[in-house]
Amino acid sequence: MRYNPVTPQIVEQLMSIVGEANVVLEPEKMEVYGRDETSEAMWQHMPEVVVKPENARQISEIIKLANREIIPVTPRGAGTGLAAGAVPMLGGILLSLERMNKILEVDRENLFMVTEPGVTTGEVQRTARAEGFLYAGDPCSAESSFIGGNVATNAGGNKAVKYGVTGRHIYGLEVVLPNGEIVTLGGKCVKDVTGYDLVHLIVGSEGTLGVVTKVYLKLMPLLPFVADLLVPFDSVEKAIKIVPTIMTHGGIIPTCLEFMDSMSIKAAELYLNQKLPYSDAAAYVIVEIDGNTERQVEEDYETIGKLCLENGGLEVFVADNPSAQDRIWKARKCYAEALRMISPVYCMEDIVVPVSQIPRALEAINGIAEKHRVKIPCVAHAGDGNIHATLLREDRDEHTWHEVKDRVLDEIYREVYALGGALSGEHGIGAKRKGAMARFLHPAQIDMIKSIKKALDPNLILNPDKLVDVL
Amino acid sequence: MRYNPVTPQIVEQLMSIVGEANVVLEPEKMEVYGRDETSEAMWQHMPEVVVKPENARQISEIIKLANREIIPVTPRGAGTGLAAGAVPMLGGILLSLERMNKILEVDRENLFMVTEPGVTTGEVQRTARAEGFLYAGDPCSAESSFIGGNVATNAGGNKAVKYGVTGRHIYGLEVVLPNGEIVTLGGKCVKDVTGYDLVHLIVGSEGTLGVVTKVYLKLMPLLPFVADLLVPFDSVEKAIKIVPTIMTHGGIIPTCLEFMDSMSIKAAELYLNQKLPYSDAAAYVIVEIDGNTERQVEEDYETIGKLCLENGGLEVFVADNPSAQDRIWKARKCYAEALRMISPVYCMEDIVVPVSQIPRALEAINGIAEKHRVKIPCVAHAGDGNIHATLLREDRDEHTWHEVKDRVLDEIYREVYALGGALSGEHGIGAKRKGAMARFLHPAQIDMIKSIKKALDPNLILNPDKLVDVL
């Protein structure tokens, strides 16, 4: 596809759509829109213009214009992505959803919240909680990420073990399609088989099939009692083997089931500047339990605590109040920032394997790390088999770094696919993993993705250069 | 699309693919493949040939042949559908999955079952239960329906209130695509955002985008304690208003939350030839609770029972043992058979609305029924807003029946869409609701469906004449 540049005439048309104040052209103001949380320079690229529409109608006009002129449009939420999915790799128009930041409705009768895409996940969570409901989507970036970005990547996060990923809570979307049409897919019905499941085709499509302008989020009754367990282990093997043990033991499904390895614990301690308990342990396992009664939660965490102690847990720290829970989760959630202190440039991976294969996957990663002498601290949404293995560049020069990174990633991905796993559990493909996806998915599956993309976006206007190379 | 007839040469090729014994040509043996549980003659059509492959490779060869020769292929499970989705409306090849009836694996570590498509849902449920797990898909037709058909329609059923519809339990599919390629989408990872969510594009696509040859079903820990409540009410209004009350009360999510109106109760009583309690009540509400401890289940059903009594319930019958539970569920599950005794021909609808709109939807249906003097007994998966309203033909002549039916359906659908609802919650579109879908969905949504169908099945070989008219 040959795209055209954004000319002054086009900028004028954009201004007439969104207003002059909502068009950004100054390089220093555009710079932040040219990157996401992926730390490497190769995943940064400046847009030609940034526009900030305030409603679906404006987006529709922008997309129709882009179709007429053959200009790339990259939709963008908060820019907290980790796969360069919202980076305008081909320039063109950067469509920032930041002004569409209103919660439109909390429907107490049907347990739905309807929001615009630019609301932060944290605000969605707090608004639900204030009404006595749970919005169960909970990526670690919740305080800064937008709900629209969560939809675009089908974000996972901490509570997916029990409640499922973002897509599970989405029953309807208003979408501006690649041809500029505005359509509402689904809504507040909890079952609907009227035609193909287009809602979940859009969820996780990383802005390549449409721009989400309204989200129908399912809320759940808030279970009022919560406890967190922090369990240090003296070996990674024991720590990780507890995961399938917990998941298949009796009827208790934890809300969260997280893993941190020794390097991650140490990094968190350094970053938080605060002594963590048993911080010389080989690994932490964090388990969260929620329930409708205090007694039930106590029974459940006692069962799980006992299970941990019987299987090599060194100690079980119970946090049954918000401030103690906060301390535990801070250590887990500061992972990215903590690693940045050790190595400003790194490559965070997001592989996923069947839960029973986590021990083998971690063993393989450790083996590869040793072989290539790269530090790869790991944390995991272990209950989901989702491992964030992060290669640290440290003081390697650019060339050596890319060479070793490519080799290490290739070896990790091979292992992952041999174990029945996949490239990405929650961060997505974006620009960063496009090449790997092309190599690891079945060609027929790649062809399906290309065919759908071409069918719905024949001019390849929307977020081009992501996921697959269509042409 | 102009399709070609199945010639003797093609029959020979089919025989060489699946073996002579697995090709059916005799009209009396093919007759059963020419209809489903839709009772009207207009939704019946004979195939030209029935083939019974035993693996994906054979299906791939059949589909490649059909592409070369431009012959329709209609995949079919147990034929228990209610929308003529598996009826070969254009003749051609009927692809019966009945011989692919093996459970391939129960993975106790990852809580997955892998099956072929021709296993009955009941066998899936029993096999899971025997291992201490729950397979939570539970359509009323479970004893006869195939799991492959459940995938094709994204079947709902009784436990969807708490556990979600079939698609929620599907994490992987092996599919023969419309071009004959065999591909595995997803698998045993519980999170996976590597490319578009093709698994859930196939789920609910009613055999128009691929033939499912292997299903990866998620199992859950079996909650050992179950209780059912049968609550008669003296008015439909009170009965139905209890539904949103229960759904938004505290943290108790019932496993099932069903509704039967007076006509349905009377029909069940007649069909079962057995006195039901309070069978002159205006409506029944059935609530199922499950839990990990007996005490928890007791507490929950007492809370809900009290809530019912405070809101107009005449009595609360508690069934806490399998035989008492069986009696309750027989009355609910015999709905279709019981109506058939009153009127052998009927039109069963499957509308869905937001839960809070059920009272208005039922009121509207009753008004329309009175206006047109048609009996429309209703049962509902009320916790999901999914209402089976069934128009009885009784002794009307063919012409009058179609006239009144068309008018009644049009009025019902209009009301449903005005309430934020949709045409089908779980039965699907098939041939039966294709016309209605074309009228009620947004044209842009219909265009998306057509574009995807054309992109993945350019010769329109797979289950043509269903869902949408592509050309």
Side-chain angles (χ1 to χ4, degrees):
Chain A
M1 203 72 192
R2 288 272 292 277
Y3 294 96
N4 294 316
V6 176
T7 62
Q9 289 74 29
I10 287 166
V11 170
E12 245 172 62
Q13 292 179 62
L14 290 170
M15 284 175 172
S16 81
I17 295 171
V18 297
E20 215 177 305
N22 298 306
V23 174
V24 181
L25 287 165
E26 301 87 327
E28 65 281 11
K29 287 191 186 158
M30 289 205 293
E31 198 267 332
V32 68
Y33 296 96
R35 51 184 162 82
D36 66 1
E37 294 291 322
T38 316
S39 65
E40 297 179 274
M42 65 189 293
W43 306 123
Q44 300 174 1
H45 194 288
M46 285 288 275
E48 292 164 71
V49 59
V50 174
V51 292
K52 304 179 181 178
E54 69 174 343
N55 57 44
R57 194 187 42 73
Q58 291 180 354
I59 295 173
S60 165
E61 287 184 48
I62 294 164
I63 290 181
K64 283 178 182 168
L65 169 64
N67 264 299
R68 283 194 303 273
E69 306 287 346
I70 311 294
I71 294 172
V73 177
T74 304
R76 180 179 175 94
T80 57
L82 287 156
V87 175
M89 298 302 290
L90 303 181
I93 299 167
L94 189 292
L95 190 77
S96 171
L97 280 314
E98 67 199 90
R99 290 175 66 223
M100 295 178 66
N101 59 0
K102 285 182 288 300
I103 290 180
L104 301 172
E105 185 194 2
V106 177
D107 178 342
R108 291 159 198 82
E109 275 187 289
N110 290 300
L111 275 67
F112 270 96
M113 188 188 297
V114 187
T115 79
E116 292 187 326
V119 179
T120 66
T121 317
E123 193 185 337
V124 169
Q125 292 170 336
R126 282 188 295 274
T127 305
R129 181 170 292 268
E131 303 272 353
F133 301 126
L134 172 71
Y135 170 66
D138 187 31
C140 281
S141 58
E143 279 315 311
S144 44
S145 69
F146 287 174
I147 193 72
N150 292 183
V151 172
T153 54
N154 196 8
N158 303 304
K159 297 195 174 75
V161 185
K162 181 166 180 177
Y163 296 112
V165 293
T166 299
R168 182 151 295 193
H169 314 298
I170 311 286
Y171 284 78
L173 294 172
E174 181 187 80
V175 183
V176 183
L177 298 176
N179 60 8
E181 291 259 19
I182 304 170
V183 67
T184 297
L185 307 170
K188 293 183 186 173
C189 293
V190 296
K191 292 161 81 174
D192 184 358
V193 294
T194 310
Y196 298 158
D197 183 356
L198 300 175
V199 169
H200 293 97
L201 181 63
I202 299 292
V203 171
S205 66
E206 304 189 24
T208 63
L209 299 180
V211 181
V212 170
T213 49
K214 206 181 278 184
V215 188
Y216 291 76
L217 295 166
K218 190 85 183 76
L219 305 176
M220 309 180 67
L222 183 67
L223 298 182
F225 299 96
V226 176
D228 287 293
L229 308 183
L230 174 69
V231 189
F233 284 81
D234 65 5
S235 92
V236 170
E237 290 65 33
K238 286 181 201 161
I240 209 63
K241 277 187 182 143
I242 198 69
V243 175
T245 306
I246 290 174
M247 293 298 287
T248 56
H249 180 88
I252 307 168
I253 302 177
T255 319
C256 315
L257 183 37
E258 298 289 316
F259 166 90
M260 293 175 71
D261 72 2
S262 160
M263 245 190 292
S264 310
I265 299 168
K266 289 273 197 295
E269 199 166 45
L270 193 71
Y271 175 77
L272 298 172
N273 190 22
Q274 164 190 322
K275 176 88 187 115
L276 293 172
Y278 279 88
S279 58
D280 51 353
Y284 280 175
V285 168
I286 301 168
V287 188
E288 186 169 292
I289 299 291
D290 63 5
N292 219 358
T293 66
E294 197 164 2
R295 196 185 49 210
Q296 187 71 47
V297 170
E298 274 177 27
E299 281 176 16
D300 285 357
Y301 78 61
E302 271 165 24
T303 304
I304 287 179
K306 207 165 146 245
L307 210 59
C308 289
L309 291 175
E310 286 166 5
N311 287 277
L314 298 171
E315 181 73 82
V316 174
F317 298 93
V318 179
D320 56 3
N321 63 75
S323 80
Q325 288 163 355
D326 229 46
R327 273 200 301 280
I328 290 181
W329 281 101
K330 256 192 196 146
R332 167 64 187 87
K333 289 190 179 178
C334 74
Y335 177 63
E337 292 80 359
L339 295 186
R340 205 166 286 150
M341 279 183 66
I342 307 175
S343 172
V345 174
Y346 54 67
C347 173
M348 192 191 296
E349 291 305 301
D350 179 42
I351 56 164
V352 60
V353 293
V355 173
S356 70
Q357 303 287 23
I358 301 183
R360 257 154 289 189
L362 274 180
E363 205 179 307
I365 291 168
N366 285 337
I368 294 165
E370 272 174 37
K371 177 177 155 195
H372 294 280
R373 294 181 191 168
V374 185
K375 282 191 192 139
I376 312 185
C378 290
V379 298
H381 302 300
D384 299 312
N386 185 200
I387 302 169
H388 296 318
T390 302
L391 288 57
L392 304 185
R393 173 170 162 177
E394 298 182 292
D395 54 5
R396 283 178 182 80
D397 65 57
E398 185 83 13
H399 177 75
T400 320
W401 163 238
H402 285 295
E403 215 175 48
V404 70
K405 186 185 66 173
D406 290 350
R407 231 176 301 140
V408 166
L409 288 184
D410 190 68
E411 289 183 25
I412 289 178
Y413 293 159
R414 275 173 206 281
E415 285 288 348
V416 163
Y417 275 85
L419 294 172
L423 279 182
S424 178
E426 56 182 22
H427 294 169
I429 301 303
K432 186 184 168 188
R433 297 187 181 90
K434 191 178 62 168
M437 189 167 102
R439 279 182 295 132
F440 285 98
L441 282 200
H442 191 291
Q445 190 172 348
I446 295 280
D447 282 345
M448 286 178 82
I449 293 170
K450 284 186 192 176
S451 300
I452 292 168
K453 170 69 177 172
K454 272 192 286 190
L456 299 183
D457 183 12
N459 291 330
L460 308 178
I461 291 304
L462 258 189
N463 211 7
D465 208 35
K466 308 294 162 62
L467 279 158
V468 284
D469 286 316
V470 178
L471 297 180
Chain B
M1 202 71 190
R2 287 271 292 278
Y3 294 96
N4 293 317
V6 176
T7 61
Q9 289 73 31
I10 287 166
V11 170
E12 244 171 64
Q13 292 179 62
L14 291 170
M15 284 176 172
S16 81
I17 296 171
V18 297
E20 214 178 307
N22 298 307
V23 174
V24 181
L25 286 165
E26 302 87 329
E28 65 281 10
K29 286 190 187 160
M30 288 205 294
E31 197 267 334
V32 68
Y33 297 97
R35 50 185 162 81
D36 66 1
E37 295 290 322
T38 317
S39 65
E40 297 179 273
M42 65 190 293
W43 305 124
Q44 300 175 2
H45 194 288
M46 285 286 278
E48 292 165 70
V49 61
V50 174
V51 293
K52 303 179 181 178
E54 68 174 343
N55 57 45
R57 194 189 42 74
Q58 291 180 354
I59 294 174
S60 165
E61 287 185 47
I62 294 164
I63 289 181
K64 284 178 181 166
L65 169 64
N67 264 299
R68 284 196 302 272
E69 305 287 346
I70 311 293
I71 294 172
V73 176
T74 304
R76 181 181 175 93
T80 57
L82 287 157
V87 176
M89 297 304 288
L90 302 181
I93 299 168
L94 189 292
L95 190 78
S96 172
L97 281 314
E98 67 200 88
R99 291 175 66 221
M100 294 179 65
N101 60 0
K102 285 182 287 299
I103 290 178
L104 301 171
E105 185 192 1
V106 177
D107 178 341
R108 290 160 199 82
E109 274 187 291
N110 290 300
L111 274 67
F112 269 97
M113 189 187 298
V114 187
T115 78
E116 292 187 325
V119 179
T120 65
T121 317
E123 192 183 338
V124 169
Q125 291 171 335
R126 283 188 296 275
T127 304
R129 181 169 292 269
E131 304 271 354
F133 300 127
L134 172 71
Y135 169 66
D138 187 30
C140 281
S141 58
E143 279 314 311
S144 44
S145 69
F146 287 174
I147 194 71
N150 292 182
V151 172
T153 54
N154 196 7
N158 303 305
K159 297 195 175 75
V161 185
K162 181 166 180 177
Y163 296 113
V165 294
T166 299
R168 184 151 293 193
H169 314 299
I170 311 286
Y171 286 77
L173 294 172
E174 181 188 80
V175 184
V176 183
L177 298 176
N179 61 7
E181 291 261 18
I182 303 170
V183 67
T184 297
L185 307 170
K188 292 183 187 173
C189 293
V190 296
K191 290 161 83 175
D192 184 0
V193 294
T194 312
Y196 298 157
D197 182 355
L198 300 176
V199 169
H200 293 98
L201 181 63
I202 299 292
V203 171
S205 67
E206 304 189 24
T208 64
L209 298 180
V211 181
V212 170
T213 49
K214 208 181 277 183
V215 188
Y216 291 76
L217 295 166
K218 191 84 182 76
L219 306 176
M220 308 179 67
L222 184 66
L223 298 182
F225 299 97
V226 176
D228 288 293
L229 308 183
L230 175 69
V231 188
F233 285 81
D234 65 5
S235 92
V236 170
E237 289 65 33
K238 287 180 200 162
I240 209 64
K241 277 187 181 143
I242 198 69
V243 174
T245 306
I246 290 173
M247 292 299 287
T248 55
H249 181 86
I252 307 168
I253 301 176
T255 319
C256 313
L257 183 36
E258 298 288 316
F259 166 90
M260 293 175 70
D261 73 2
S262 161
M263 246 191 290
S264 309
I265 299 168
K266 288 275 198 294
E269 199 166 46
L270 192 72
Y271 175 76
L272 298 171
N273 192 22
Q274 166 192 321
K275 176 85 187 118
L276 294 171
Y278 278 87
S279 58
D280 50 353
Y284 281 175
V285 168
I286 301 168
V287 188
E288 188 168 291
I289 299 291
D290 63 6
N292 218 358
T293 66
E294 196 164 3
R295 195 184 50 209
Q296 187 71 47
V297 170
E298 273 177 27
E299 281 175 15
D300 286 357
Y301 79 62
E302 270 164 25
T303 304
I304 287 179
K306 206 164 147 247
L307 210 58
C308 289
L309 291 175
E310 286 165 5
N311 287 277
L314 298 171
E315 181 72 85
V316 174
F317 297 95
V318 179
D320 57 3
N321 64 75
S323 80
Q325 290 163 352
D326 229 44
R327 273 201 300 281
I328 290 180
W329 282 100
K330 257 190 195 149
R332 169 63 187 84
K333 288 190 178 177
C334 74
Y335 177 62
E337 292 80 1
L339 296 186
R340 204 167 286 150
M341 278 183 67
I342 306 175
S343 173
V345 174
Y346 55 65
C347 173
M348 192 192 295
E349 290 305 300
D350 179 42
I351 55 165
V352 62
V353 293
V355 173
S356 70
Q357 302 288 22
I358 302 183
R360 257 154 289 189
L362 274 180
E363 204 178 308
I365 292 168
N366 285 337
I368 294 165
E370 272 174 37
K371 177 177 154 194
H372 293 281
R373 294 183 192 166
V374 184
K375 282 189 192 141
I376 312 185
C378 291
V379 298
H381 301 301
D384 299 312
N386 185 201
I387 302 170
H388 296 319
T390 303
L391 289 56
L392 303 185
R393 172 170 164 178
E394 298 184 288
D395 54 6
R396 284 178 182 79
D397 64 55
E398 185 84 13
H399 178 77
T400 320
W401 163 240
H402 284 296
E403 216 176 48
V404 70
K405 186 185 68 175
D406 289 350
R407 231 175 301 141
V408 166
L409 288 185
D410 191 68
E411 290 183 23
I412 290 177
Y413 294 157
R414 275 174 205 281
E415 285 287 348
V416 163
Y417 275 86
L419 295 171
L423 279 182
S424 179
E426 56 181 22
H427 294 170
I429 301 303
K432 187 184 167 186
R433 297 187 181 90
K434 191 178 62 169
M437 189 168 101
R439 280 183 293 135
F440 286 97
L441 282 199
H442 190 293
Q445 191 173 349
I446 295 280
D447 281 347
M448 286 178 83
I449 294 171
K450 284 187 193 177
S451 301
I452 292 169
K453 169 69 177 172
K454 271 193 287 192
L456 299 183
D457 182 12
N459 292 328
L460 307 178
I461 291 304
L462 257 189
N463 210 7
D465 207 36
K466 307 295 163 61
L467 279 159
V468 284
D469 287 315
V470 177
L471 298 179

